[in-house]
Amino acid sequence: KNEVEQSPQNLTAQEGEFITINCSYSVGISALHWLQQHPGGGIVSLFMLSSGKKKHGRLIATINIQEKHSSLHITASHPRDSAVYICAVFTVGRGSQGNLIFGKGTKLSVKP
Amino acid sequence: EPEVTQTPSHQVTQMGQEVILRCVPISNHLYFYWYRQILGQKVEFLVSFYNNEISEKSEIFDDQFSVERPDGSNFTLKIRSTKLEDSAMYFCASLWDVGGTEAFFGQGTRLTVV
């Protein structure tokens, strides 16, 4: 069983739609990261969450530590939002250093 | 805006050759990681590095792999004898502190073994 599960795997939306991507995890974590990967391959950090909610522009990320669940929302989606969105959890460290465990990603396509 | 720099962006190598992938982490960061992503698959952990030594490594990180931080700035991943299945995107990441701080990723090195 994957330690980090994302849904959906693929998502197609029309420009302007409200989008939600979900992430569930089964391990103890110290933080959860939402990342964006564009077709060129580079990974950009969007949010780092350990509790509650964060907002940056049209992006909102929430986390429920008790339920081990996080959501990434995009309001008023735009074709430039098309990318793969990856949930990654930072595990409680074994020894001196923890590690990021990645979900498989959600491929988002926003049509004009 | 601080950034992690990786070179080269793309490397093509013959099977059996050695390659060195280079990363310059953010200067005051202390924790460093290498990850890889085979085309169409999820990002996988290779190795973590702190205080000039390996903290943890995955099953993927076998004897053909090594890492070092030779001069206090560069963080390198060496693959001694490349195999076809080593073809992947390799990402370097650095953090100032573990757990509660943002992870910064390089743009990746696309390694193609032929």
Side-chain angles (χ1 to χ4, degrees), chain B residues 2-3 24-30 32 69 72 94:
Chain B
E3 62 177 15
V24 180
I26 293 168
S27 60
N28 64 342
H29 283 192
L30 302 174
F32 312 111
R69 198 159 183 244
S94 76

Side-chain angles (χ1 to χ4, degrees), chain B residues 70-86:
Chain B
D71 55 10
S73 60
N74 290 288
F75 177 48
T76 62
L77 174 69
K78 182 191 290 186
I79 310 175
R80 249 178 286 280
S81 178
T82 50
K83 304 191 281 273
L84 294 175
E85 54 265 38
D86 294 327

Side-chain angles (χ1 to χ4, degrees), chain A residues 52-71:
Chain A
K53 175 180 173 178
K54 285 189 177 179
K55 184 176 191 292
H56 181 67
R58 294 180 294 106
L59 301 178
I60 303 166
T62 64
I63 188 168
N64 185 317
I65 297 292
Q66 286 74 31
E67 293 185 5
K68 295 191 173 181
H69 181 268
S70 175
S71 293

